[in-house]
């Protein structure tokens, strides 16, 4: 054990993971961010982490897609960060506090964040940007998230990628895919900086071209998927991707150097069938396995 986390909140662990409020070497850590304080349309993502964990109990630990099994790896569920309703700054500062003295690379520590709304990804992405000079950021989402603030909130869910962009250098690269909604200016931003892949093929080719040892972070907003598969999200957008496209991406990432990831914007109560939580839990299993 390299760090004890004092304030984490108890929860049932994700599928076969160990529940420990500790950071260990050579391990992947799940952390829940139950925060949806800047949500503009339909709130409820604060219930995402526990709904995703609950839905994981019906799953197999083995993925036939990636031919890997959760049970064969060191996966720790650290529970949820202490919730500060509507207090993005405090939530983010707490994450910063518990992770700032970690050395992700030399200790082979990985973190998979589950949200919560997309603004929670800021801390985890910054942590990886600080520790991996040449980090490549893969952003899967229906929305550009490139607004320079939204509804008076600089660190809004709608501006998360713009806030990450503030910290990127010429050594970093951003690839956005699944995008089908945003302001004209945001689309112009993507064009100017050549960050968008406009077809699945283009996206796959660009990920394939990343050198095997280059560190990659994946930030996945679940509204990337079509609302017919994933209705349980705050701002659904027609015309999204399906699970098989996601698996194509994960099969490539499995062979690369994925160093961190987040899965955000599951709002389970919006989908009363519970299917969105099951879908998100499966996406979580594949992501954990691609991180190994
Ligand atoms: Mn989105
Ligand atoms: Mn988003």
């Amino acid at each position: 054990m390299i760090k004890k986390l004092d304030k984490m909140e108890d929860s049932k662990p994700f599928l076969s993971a160990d529940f420990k409020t500790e950071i260990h070497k050579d391990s992947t850590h799940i952390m829940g961010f139950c925060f949806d304080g800047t949500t503009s349309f339909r709130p409820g993502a604060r219930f995402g982490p526990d709904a995703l964990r609950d839905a994981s109990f019906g799953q197999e630990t083995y993925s036939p897609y990636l031919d890997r099994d959760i049970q064969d790896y060191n996966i720790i569920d650290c529970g949820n960060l202490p919730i500060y309703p509507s207090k993005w700054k405090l939530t983010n500062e707490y994450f910063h506090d518990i992770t700032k003295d970690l050395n992700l690379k030399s200790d082979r520590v990985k973190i998979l964040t589950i949200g919560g709304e997309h603004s929670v990804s800021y801390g985890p992405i910054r942590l990886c940007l600080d520790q991996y000079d040449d980090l490549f950021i893969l952003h899967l989402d229906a929305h550009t998230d490139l607004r320079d603030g939204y509804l008076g909130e600089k660190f809004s869910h709608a501006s998360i990628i713009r806030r990450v962009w503030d910290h990127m250098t010429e050594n970093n690269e951003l690839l956005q895919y699944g995008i089908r909604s945003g302001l004209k200016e945001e689309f112009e931003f993507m064009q100017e900086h050549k960050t968008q892949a406009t077809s699945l093929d283009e996206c796959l080719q660009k990920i394939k071209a990343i050198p095997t040892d280059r560190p990659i972070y994946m930030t996945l907003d679940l509204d990337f998927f079509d609302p017919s598969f994933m209705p349980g999200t705050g701002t659904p957008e027609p015309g999204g991707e399906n699970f098989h496209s996601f698996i194509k991406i994960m099969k490539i990432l499995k062979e690369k150097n994925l160093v961190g990831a987040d899965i955000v914007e599951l709002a389970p109560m919006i989908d009363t069938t519970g299917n969105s939580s099951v879908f998100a839990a499966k996406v979580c299993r594949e992501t954990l396995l691609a991180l190994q």
Side-chain angles (χ1 to χ4, degrees), residues 4-29:
K4 177 99 187 93
L5 307 174
D6 298 325
K7 284 193 270 177
M8 300 298 281
E9 299 189 341
D10 261 16
S11 62
K12 285 191 287 181
F14 182 78
L15 179 69
S16 293
D18 292 319
F19 180 75
K20 286 182 192 163
T21 48
E22 297 167 352
I23 306 273
H24 286 251
K25 287 186 180 183
D26 296 304
S27 301
T28 301
H29 304 79

Side-chain angles (χ1 to χ4, degrees), residues 44-227:
R46 70 178 66 181
F47 303 110
D50 287 336
L52 187 153
R53 290 184 177 103
D54 280 346
S56 75
F57 283 90
Q59 278 186 30
E60 310 296 343
T61 55
Y62 174 69
S63 163
Y65 308 107
L66 302 188
D67 190 27
R68 284 181 180 172
D69 197 308
I70 292 280
Q71 291 178 320
D72 295 337
Y73 303 100
N74 297 328
I75 297 173
I76 296 169
D77 192 334
C78 299
N80 297 325
L81 268 76
I83 307 165
Y84 301 102
S86 315
K87 300 282 187 222
W88 182 87
K89 201 162 171 277
L90 287 177
T91 306
N92 198 60
E93 275 168 10
Y94 182 66
F95 179 79
H96 179 72
D97 260 13
I98 62 176
T99 55
K100 64 178 189 293
D101 47 357
L102 296 174
N103 192 324
L104 302 181
K105 197 173 177 181
S106 64
D107 288 335
R108 292 164 305 280
V109 167
K110 294 186 178 184
I111 298 173
L112 169 65
T113 305
I114 45 179
E117 57 161 63
H118 209 161
S119 69
V120 306
S121 309
Y122 177 79
I125 298 176
R126 268 217 75 179
L127 176 70
C128 286
L129 273 173
D130 287 347
Q131 301 212 0
Y132 296 98
D133 279 350
D134 57 340
L135 189 72
F136 186 106
I137 298 169
L138 173 63
H139 171 219
L140 304 176
D141 199 323
H143 307 93
T144 52
D145 289 356
L146 287 166
R147 288 176 197 241
D148 197 6
Y150 187 51
L151 303 176
E153 180 59 69
K154 195 174 175 211
F155 290 88
S156 161
H157 66 99
S159 54
I160 169 65
I161 298 301
R162 185 60 172 265
R163 292 288 78 85
V164 166
W165 183 265
D166 294 341
H167 301 288
M168 287 173 58
T169 70
E170 66 278 4
N171 294 330
N172 302 121
E173 206 172 322
L174 170 67
L175 176 63
Q176 301 177 273
Y177 178 60
I179 314 297
R180 53 197 185 277
S181 181
L183 300 176
K184 187 161 182 268
E185 297 89 273
E186 295 177 273
F187 277 85
E188 285 166 357
F189 184 100
M190 290 195 295
Q191 256 183 352
E192 184 190 339
H193 299 285
K194 300 186 174 57
T195 59
Q196 190 188 15
T198 53
S199 70
L200 179 62
D201 265 355
E202 188 189 352
C203 175
L204 297 175
Q205 289 312 319
K206 286 196 162 154
I207 302 172
K208 267 184 200 154
I210 302 171
T212 318
D213 56 349
R214 182 169 191 184
I216 303 171
Y217 184 100
M218 179 182 80
T219 180
L220 169 63
D221 182 328
L222 288 163
D223 61 32
F224 166 74
F225 295 103
D226 192 79

